[in-house]
Amino acid sequence: FQYLKRYDQGYNLDKFWYEAHSVEGSPAECLQQFLLHCGITDPSWSELRNFTWFLNVQLRDCEASVFCNPDFVQDTLQGF
């Protein structure tokens, strides 16, 4: 949710890192973001769950990768 919210607001996500247990927004705002970004017009709860699970895994792997660390890659992969 935090990544999607910042993406919609035009923030540079290259330097954003999720902090465990940090809470932002309301449950309704979170659901709205997921509905906007899941890519399905009228998703079921199962489809929303799969979307959020997949997005979470991808973002966690991205944060853990040295190749996505802006301090490591400098400006060679800007916007990647």
Side-chain angles (χ1 to χ4, degrees), residues 7-73:
Y7 174 78
D8 282 347
Q9 294 173 343
Y11 284 90
N12 179 0
L13 298 177
D14 290 343
K15 298 189 184 223
F16 175 71
W17 296 92
Y18 170 73
E19 292 182 31
H21 308 294
S22 63
V23 177
E24 293 182 14
S26 67
E29 187 180 10
C30 181
L31 180 59
Q32 182 180 26
Q33 284 293 327
F34 292 152
L35 289 169
L36 285 172
H37 291 280
C38 76
I40 300 173
T41 303
D42 187 18
S44 66
W45 285 111
S46 178
E47 290 167 326
L48 279 176
R49 186 229 176 256
N50 289 336
F51 168 72
T52 57
W53 175 81
F54 179 77
L55 183 63
N56 187 51
V57 168
Q58 294 301 308
L59 291 170
R60 189 179 328 136
D61 288 349
C62 179
E63 286 185 351
S65 172
V66 69
F67 297 107
C68 295
N69 183 333
D71 296 329
F72 176 75
V73 296

